[in-house]
Every structure is written in C-alpha cells, then in structure tokens.
C-alpha cells in the first residue's frame, strides 16, 4: 500500500466516521420567530408524538370496564338484575343483551375509576351485605383483568322484588312480545 493509498483510506474512514456521527446527532431545527405560547404548544405536540412512537400503551374503552363491572355484579347472590331503561330490557329479551346497562364509570385524573351501579335486588335480603359483596367482587375482577384501581363504588338499589315477581315480570314481557310478533305475522284482511 502506498502512502497515497493509505491517506485515501484514512480520509475515507474519517469521512465515514463523520457521516455516522452526523446520523446520530439530532437535526438542528431552523430558527423561527414563534410566539412563546405557540412554541410551547409545538414542543408539547412533538413530545406527545415522541411518546407515542417510543412507548407502549394499553387502554380500555369505557364499555369494556362497564361490561366487566356488570358481569361481576351479576355474579353476586341476591342481585336479580341490572337496572336500565325499557329499551335495554327489550334488547335483552330479544337476545341482544346489553351487558353494560345499569353501569356507568368515571375516570379520575389519576387514572382510577369511580363506578356507578344500579341494580334490582331480591326482597328480604340485607342491602348493605349485597353492597359489600358487589364492591369486593367488582374490585377483584377489575384488578385481576385490568389492574385498574377503583376510587369508589356507588350502588343504587332501583327496585326490590321477590325472585318469583322478577321472573314473572320477565315472562309477562316475553309473552307480550310473542303475541305482538304473532299479530304482526298474521295477514291483514
């Protein structure tokens, strides 16, 4: 190797090292005259983009949390049903059960949840015990499935029925639906 060849190799190596170092350095932004408030907003937007690009994320739709809460609540003895409006009850009877009826959630600033539940309980049962059972079951299920912390649970007893009354009201409602369907299917004369 000649002196000239070794100098060319050294220059190529140095050039490659400079190129590699330049790729590792962040781009220097052009200087712009931007008001301070707008500049802060732009920087916050860039930080958000960097966080989205560089961090993993797990989020839950409110409906998912509500569904977990409703299903956990239904597991509690002496809870006959969840309270929703007539449309929800109608959908449930047609097989399109809305499992989140009777449940709403609020997310606090520190990512904990406040849960509002409306239920129908069995007549003759001690409501405070049912409340304690619901709290325990809901907190247990949410923690096991999502890791979310519960900030509070508000339980509203919407109705008290005997199990027989509850089943009879469901049966009456279904019978009324069936008779309406038959009337709709009969040809008009």
């Amino acid at each position: 190797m000649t002196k000239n060849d070794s100098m060319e190799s050294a220059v190529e190596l140095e050039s490659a090292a400079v190129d590699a170092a330049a790729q590792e350095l962040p781009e220097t932004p052009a200087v712009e005259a931007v008001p301070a408030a707008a500049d802060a907003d732009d920087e916050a937007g860039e930080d958000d983009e960097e966080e989205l690009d560089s961090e993993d994320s797990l989020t839950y739709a409110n409906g998912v949390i509500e569904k977990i809460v409703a299903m956990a609540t239904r597991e509690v003895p002496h809870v006959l049903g969840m309270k929703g409006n007539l449309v929800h009850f109608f959908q449930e009877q047609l097989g399109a059960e809305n499992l989140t009826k009777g449940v709403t959630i609020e997310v606090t600033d520190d990512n904990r949840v406040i849960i509002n539940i409306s239920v129908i309980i069995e007549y003759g049962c001690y409501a405070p015990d049912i409340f304690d059972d619901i709290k325990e079951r809901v907190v247990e299920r949410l923690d096991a499935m999502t890791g979310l912390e519960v900030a509070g649970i508000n339980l509203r007893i919407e109705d008290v029925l005997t199990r027989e009354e509850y089943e009879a009201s469901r049966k009456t409602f279904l019978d009324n639906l069936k008779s309406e369907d038959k009337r709709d299917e009969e040809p008009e004369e």
Side-chain angles (χ1 to χ4, degrees), residues 14-60:
E14 184 177 308
S15 177
V18 169
D19 288 344
Q23 288 175 355
E24 291 177 19
L25 293 175
E27 264 187 58
T28 306
V31 177
E32 294 179 283
V34 179
D39 189 30
D41 289 344
D42 288 345
E43 287 177 15
E46 289 173 10
D47 288 346
D48 289 347
E49 288 176 0
E50 286 177 19
E51 286 179 20
L52 291 176
D53 291 340
S54 63
E55 293 183 18
D56 294 336
S57 174
L58 174 62
T59 58
Y60 302 95

Side-chain angles (χ1 to χ4, degrees), residues 30-113:
V31 177
E32 294 179 283
V34 179
D39 189 30
D41 289 344
D42 288 345
E43 287 177 15
E46 289 173 10
D47 288 346
D48 289 347
E49 288 176 0
E50 286 177 19
E51 286 179 20
L52 291 176
D53 291 340
S54 63
E55 293 183 18
D56 294 336
S57 174
L58 174 62
T59 58
Y60 302 95
N62 284 356
V64 170
I65 304 304
E66 291 167 353
K67 190 173 185 178
I68 292 169
V69 169
M71 292 174 81
T73 300
R74 284 184 177 91
E75 294 173 0
V76 174
H78 311 297
V79 172
L80 297 176
M82 306 296 291
K83 184 65 176 182
N85 63 28
L86 188 57
V87 172
H88 288 135
F89 188 69
F90 180 72
Q91 289 173 336
E92 182 177 321
Q93 300 314 310
L94 296 176
E97 187 170 357
N98 182 350
L99 293 176
T100 65
K101 75 176 183 178
V103 178
T104 60
I105 65 160
E106 302 166 39
V107 180
T108 64
D109 292 338
D110 57 352
N111 287 326
R112 298 184 315 153
V113 291

